[in-house]
Amino acid sequence: MAKKKMVLEVAMRCKTCQTKALQIVAETHGVESLALEGEDSLKNQVVVIGTDVDVTGLTKSLRKKVGHTEIKSVSDAKEVDD
């Protein structure tokens, strides 16, 4: 199965919320890498790269434990060859 890149926008109001969101994503089956993105101190987007990740289940879990979450995009991850 191909790698997918998912961008989720999560309502994170503090560093504790960011840590909690990253921990939930990291524990999800199939996740290979994750990162926070966004403007300056408002890093409200979680970028997830992985195979066979249940993006709707992940979104539901983040909504329940952190706050409002939206799926911004799901696309094929580009391979970087060095």
Side-chain angles (χ1 to χ4, degrees), residues 30-80:
V31 173
E32 294 178 15
S33 68
L34 58 109
L36 284 175
E37 288 185 356
E39 301 88 28
D40 300 326
S41 64
L42 184 66
K43 297 200 179 285
N44 62 345
Q45 292 184 344
V46 180
V47 179
V48 182
I49 297 176
T51 55
D52 197 31
V53 177
D54 178 16
V55 70
T56 54
L58 178 58
T59 303
K60 186 177 179 180
S61 181
L62 285 168
R63 280 182 185 156
K64 183 186 251 185
K65 297 178 182 173
V66 180
H68 181 74
T69 304
E70 290 182 27
I71 301 171
K72 286 298 185 184
S73 69
V74 178
S75 61
D76 289 330
K78 296 181 177 113
E79 296 291 326
V80 178

